[in-house]
Amino acid sequence: MSLQIPDDRTPDGKPESEQPQWRRDFPIDWPEDNYISRRDFTRFLVLTSFAFAVGQTWILAMGSMGRGEDRQGRELVASVDDIPEGGAKTFTIKGTKEPFLLVRMSENTFVAYGQKCTHLSCPLIPQPEMGRLYCPCHEGAFDLQTGHPMMGPPRRPLPRVRLEISGNKVYATGVEDHRL
Amino acid sequence: MPVPEHLEFFIDPNRCIGCQACVQACAECDTHRGYSMIQLDYIARSESPQTVPIVCMHCESPTCAEVCPADAVKRTEDGVVQSARKPRCIACNNCVLACPFGVPKMETPMELMMKCDMCYDRTSVGKKPMCASVCPSQALFYGARDQIERQRPRSRPIHRFLFGRQIIVTKVHLMVPFESPVAPMDVIAAFRETVIGHVFGPNFSAETMVGGGK
Ligand code: FES
């Protein structure tokens, strides 16, 4: 409900109900204009706090869905000869679009982590000679041994891919995802 | 505090002597010091020294506010149309072009439309506007209606004007000769009149009034 515009104050003298909508939305008189702004402000407050509430619930739901989830099954990632010592390879696991990074640390040690930085999802650059995965975006780094953050803004560890080496092949057998 | 209702503004161009006192006094106002919101117009400069002070008429349905795309021109509850609100004004000049009386002024360096607000800082506390307080011939008169009716028995205040098909009702009154017709003053038609040389008498019409007085 807006305040009533006196009829002699409209240009054609018609009552407020016959005026176009914009005239009611943009009243000329100061008290009504303030009234509308107050109403708009309240609407803005209610709607944005509602949106925030929905957003938070959604984030929570997404988080609890992914938490501690282990993907099972065995999947061929690479053959040992493909990757030189200190080399790396990106791969994906069937059913996801997430990029993963396989690093050969030494002759027989392979590790694999998600390639998305846990800060703001920049792709990580493997630096096995420094024993870390480096994020150029904000100078973040993760420990190559454990996947835990070493420096910079990231706070959460990278999802780690369980590997199995049999013969000449490297297989992924699951992802330990500790989101949130 | 709103402007007291019994105090009204009357413009009597007949009495204007072109002294520019109102223009100067307006520029003294604290809310826009150095900028005068009044202009003194010559009606037909080549033919007559007659001048008329242009102050805001404070329309009931202000065209300047109607055309404002930024919703910046507002009127206070007592019917006084104020200068554009600074945070909203986009200096588009629509109001300057649209005002039938030619009142709003664009202060381009400030990107702000400023106009006569009937000295709102003064009138809202019961004082006269600057211009009315200095006008030596009281062509700009601010006061009670019965007072001006007593003082100027040969004149009559009107506040309805016709611009093309638009009828404008104003808060500020214009004094016209008592005999002039009661219909809204047709301002556009007055532009086509010859300005000087009308006989002042029973046949006098409001149109000739705007055209140039007696
Ligand atoms: S995105 Fe990796 S540190 Fe910010």
Side-chain angles (χ1 to χ4, degrees), chain A residues 116-124 134-142 151-154:
Chain A
K116 268 167 42 178
C117 177
T118 56
H119 177 223
L120 291 174
S121 300
C122 285
L124 299 168
Y134 176 67
C135 178
C137 288
H138 314 98
E139 304 262 316
F142 297 86
M151 64 179 219

Side-chain angles (χ1 to χ4, degrees), chain B residues 195-206:
Chain B
V195 277
I196 298 298
H198 285 277
V199 184
F200 184 61
N203 293 333
F204 189 89
S205 80

Side-chain angles (χ1 to χ4, degrees), chain B residues 69-136:
Chain B
D71 200 26
V73 186
K74 293 291 158 213
R75 174 179 52 194
T76 42
E77 59 204 318
D78 36 24
V80 177
V81 185
Q82 306 283 339
S83 287
R85 303 182 88 165
K86 179 69 182 115
R88 294 184 182 179
C89 183
I90 55 172
C92 69
N93 258 322
N94 263 14
C95 49
V96 178
L97 298 173
C99 174
F101 301 99
V103 169
K105 289 187 170 184
M106 179 53 60
E107 297 297 344
T108 312
M110 284 188 245
E111 299 196 331
L112 178 66
M113 179 277 267
M114 295 213 288
K115 62 181 281 299
C116 157
D117 57 2
M118 222 163 88
C119 285
Y120 200 65
D121 55 331
R122 297 171 56 85
T123 46
S124 60
V125 294
K127 292 188 191 166
K128 286 182 176 188
M130 280 289 201
C131 51
S133 68
V134 298
C135 183

